[in-house]
């Protein structure tokens, strides 16, 4: 009894402590992408809670109905045949649950990969988000500015983050705006987000990429369109230009604070993507390379033809 009482006290204390915790960021969405994902999470939690409830009820029912009794030691219960309909039921129900969760997951995944509904007619703000050990670089080609370890975005406008890395694989994640996506060194991943409320949201690297990954946090500040334009003009009037030498020093420095520049590193260190917006894995050739390759192949064909003619001529002789 004392042990049960102690467990009850500990459980009650845990409940009291949990009531003081803030709400989870993923369940407090501030944009349509995060809202879609939070709804899927809540739906999945409710589904699993219902399954657990049914299992626990059946478990208690079976323990109660078939508990040990004071029957004679030689008592043998009557033989009971299996039920075909019960077997069909407990096979069908899991199949239905998996099918429903699969449909919800596929539909929500397709929805968050596109520009959020209602914002399709707006031109997205393109921001290149690149990671390095252990920091984030945000390049705004439209405004010709760049920030380090913080990103400002306007509200009610789609933002297309183009993600890549100057080092190990990182994971770009702003929980209150949308799910995570990987930033890799030889390709660009795209992430569409929209902030519908002004505010400061925490962003982080959610992928373990080395000893300093825990410090790869950044602020995503959602501003009204007017305030965002003001900030851009202020940056252009006060910040310095980002040079290739300073960018190289940034990449070599492990930890830096916030920095702002009036130019981007994309001019001298472009993102690893082709002109069509696809991925560049080192196998793309420009026009000169293609012409040179065609010329070499043509010369090789002529050479092979000449050798073949000489061989035929020698055979006739």
């Amino acid at each position: 009894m004392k042990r049960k009482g102690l467990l009850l006290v500990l459980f009650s204390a845990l409940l009291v402590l949990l009531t003081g915790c803030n709400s989870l960021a993923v369940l407090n969405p501030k944009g349509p992408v995060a809202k879609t994902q939070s709804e899927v999470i809540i739906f999945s939690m409710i589904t699993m809670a219902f399954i657990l409830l049914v299992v626990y009820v059946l478990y208690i029912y079976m323990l109660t109905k078939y508990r040990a009794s004071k029957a004679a030691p030689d008592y043998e219960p009557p033989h009971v045949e299996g039920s075909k309909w019960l077997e069909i039921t407990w096979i069908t129900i899991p199949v239905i649950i998996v099918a429903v969760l699969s449909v919800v997951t596929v539909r929500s995944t397709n929805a968050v990969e596109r520009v959020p509904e209602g914002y399709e007619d707006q031109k997205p703000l393109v921001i290149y988000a690149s990671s390095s050990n252990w920091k984030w670089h945000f390049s705004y080609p439209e405004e010709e500015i760049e920030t380090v370890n913080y990103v400002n975005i306007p509200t009610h406008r789609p933002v297309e983050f183009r993600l890549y890395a100057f080092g190990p694989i990182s994971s770009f994640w702003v929980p209150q705006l949308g799910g995570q996506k990987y930033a890799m060194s030889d390709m660009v991943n795209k992430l569409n987000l929209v902030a519908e409320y002004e505010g400061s949201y925490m962003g982080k690297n959610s992928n373990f990429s080395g000893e300093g990954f825990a410090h790869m946090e950044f602020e995503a500040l959602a501003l009204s369109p007017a305030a965002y334009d003001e900030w851009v003009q202020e940056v252009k009037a006060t910040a310095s230009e980002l040079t290739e030498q300073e960018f190289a020093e940034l990449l070599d420095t492990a930890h830096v604070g916030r920095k702002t520049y009036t130019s981007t590193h994309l001019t001298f260190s472009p993102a690893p993507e082709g002109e069509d917006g696809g991925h560049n894995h080192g196998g793309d050739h420009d026009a000169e390379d293609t012409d040179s390759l065609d010329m070499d192949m043509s010369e090789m064909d002529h050479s092979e033809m000449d050798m073949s003619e000489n061989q035929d001529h020698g055979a006739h002789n």
Side-chain angles (χ1 to χ4, degrees):
M1 290 296 294
K2 290 183 178 180
R3 188 176 180 180
K4 290 183 179 180
L6 181 61
L7 289 175
L8 181 61
V9 171
L10 290 175
F11 182 72
S12 301
L14 181 62
L15 288 178
V16 172
L17 290 174
L18 288 176
T19 56
C21 296
N22 293 327
S23 59
L24 294 174
V26 293
L27 299 181
N28 185 23
K30 299 299 180 181
V33 177
K35 184 179 180 181
T36 298
Q37 293 173 332
S38 68
E39 289 174 350
V40 173
I41 293 173
I42 293 173
F43 176 77
S44 301
M45 291 172 62
I46 293 174
T47 302
M48 290 184 285
F50 176 75
I51 295 171
L52 287 175
L53 177 63
V54 173
V55 170
Y56 288 145
V57 169
L58 290 175
Y59 178 69
I60 295 172
Y61 171 76
M62 294 300 176
L63 286 180
T64 304
K65 183 175 181 179
Y66 299 104
R67 66 187 183 277
S69 62
K70 296 181 179 180
D74 58 347
Y75 169 76
E76 291 186 7
H79 179 72
V80 178
E81 294 289 341
S83 173
K84 178 180 66 176
W85 294 109
L86 282 177
E87 292 180 2
I88 293 175
T89 301
W90 61 55
I91 291 175
T92 304
I93 291 177
V95 171
I96 293 174
I97 293 172
V98 172
V100 170
L101 291 176
S102 299
V103 170
V104 171
T105 301
V106 170
R107 292 183 61 183
S108 62
T109 301
N110 290 333
V112 300
E113 285 295 322
R114 300 189 300 267
V115 175
E117 186 177 353
Y119 296 92
E120 300 92 345
D121 58 338
Q122 295 190 35
K123 179 184 176 182
L125 172 65
V126 176
I127 300 177
Y128 286 83
S130 54
S131 64
S132 66
N133 298 344
W134 310 97
K135 66 198 77 70
W136 289 94
H137 311 261
F138 298 97
S139 306
Y140 301 69
E142 184 178 319
E143 288 83 0
E144 284 296 325
I145 62 176
E146 182 160 328
T147 62
V148 179
N149 288 332
Y150 79 98
V151 59
N152 290 356
I153 59 175
T155 56
H156 300 287
R157 180 181 177 183
V159 179
E160 182 183 290
F161 285 100
R162 299 186 180 181
L163 314 172
Y164 63 101
F166 286 98
I169 296 176
S170 303
S171 178
F172 181 89
W173 189 29
V174 185
Q176 290 184 273
L177 297 181
Q180 66 86 28
K181 215 166 201 181
Y182 289 111
M184 294 176 274
S185 61
D186 201 30
M187 63 183 295
V188 171
N189 280 330
K190 295 181 181 180
L191 178 65
N192 295 296
L193 298 179
V194 174
E196 294 185 325
Y197 302 91
E198 297 178 31
S200 175
Y201 310 118
M202 182 192 69
K204 61 170 63 178
N205 171 21
S206 62
N207 180 62
F208 180 76
S209 54
E211 61 179 357
F213 92 102
H215 299 284
M216 293 182 67
E217 294 185 350
F218 61 91
E219 179 189 23
L221 183 62
L223 303 169
S224 66
Y228 174 79
D229 291 338
E230 274 184 31
W231 171 74
V232 171
Q233 296 304 319
E234 181 182 354
V235 169
K236 291 183 176 180
T238 59
S240 59
E241 185 177 352
L242 178 62
T243 62
E244 189 170 357
Q245 179 181 357
E246 184 168 358
F247 182 68
E249 293 176 356
L250 276 176
L251 294 181
D252 291 336
T253 306
H255 303 289
V256 300
R258 295 190 178 197
K259 292 185 178 294
T260 311
Y261 301 97
T262 55
S263 60
T264 74
H265 70 265
L266 299 175
T267 54
F268 50 80
S269 181
E273 61 180 353
E275 294 180 357
D276 59 350
H279 305 324
N280 178 11
H281 295 279
D284 297 335
H285 301 279
D286 55 20
E288 294 181 1
D289 292 338
T290 304
D291 294 340
S292 176
L293 182 61
D294 293 340
M295 187 178 298
D296 292 341
M297 292 295 294
S298 177
E299 291 176 356
M300 185 174 67
D301 292 341
H302 286 298
S303 176
E304 290 177 352
M305 289 175 64
D306 293 340
M307 290 178 64
S308 177
E309 290 176 357
N310 291 335
Q311 290 175 356
D312 293 341
H313 181 69
H316 287 298
N317 290 338

